[in-house]
Amino acid sequence: MGQVRLDRWSHGRVVLLGDAGYCPTPLTGLGTSLALVGAYVLAGELAATGDHRVALRNYERIMHPYVGEAQKLPPGGVNGFAPSTALAIRMRTASMRVMTRWPMRNLIASQFAKASNIDLPDYDLPVLR
């Protein structure tokens, strides 16, 4: 398991987006959400500002808090996903069986609720026809 953590996602006109820039690992279940939000913000900022330098600064300013929150691993982290002892494997298997029941359901729901932890800018741009 790996997790990409970078201070910056752009250099000049080159921009990292999605897993290339901020892969949260499969443990978070938020890779697609991050990629879609990142693409929306990047495209919106590029279209709204007209200056790629300003757009990229805005993109990083908007995305960093969201990515940081999404990269926090769920309870148990890697050991919960890929346990290394027989007891831990049995505990993981048991927890998978009850994942949709209380209290596990609330833990899982809170992890995926992170996908909506951003106030997306409304890029009021003209529609091309």
Side-chain angles (χ1 to χ4, degrees), residues 44-100:
E45 291 299 324
L46 286 168
T49 65
D51 181 340
H52 75 279
R53 292 168 297 219
V54 173
L56 297 180
R57 280 193 303 271
N58 290 344
Y59 159 71
E60 294 198 19
R61 177 184 50 78
I62 292 166
M63 289 298 295
H64 264 285
Y66 181 59
V67 171
E69 186 63 29
Q71 286 184 326
K72 292 179 182 173
L73 295 177
V78 174
N79 291 333
F81 184 76
S84 58
T85 67
L87 175 60
I89 292 169
R90 286 194 297 276
M91 289 175 59
R92 186 215 41 214
T93 301
S95 72
M96 292 293 190
R97 288 189 186 118
V98 297
M99 189 120 348
T100 59

Side-chain angles (χ1 to χ4, degrees), residues 24-39:
T25 84
L27 299 178
T28 66
L30 297 170
T32 301
S33 298
L34 286 170
L36 289 171
V37 168

Side-chain angles (χ1 to χ4, degrees), residues 10-29:
S10 64
H11 184 75
R13 291 179 176 258
V14 176
V15 181
L16 298 176
L17 179 70
D19 284 352
Y22 31 78
C23 176
T25 84
L27 299 178
T28 66

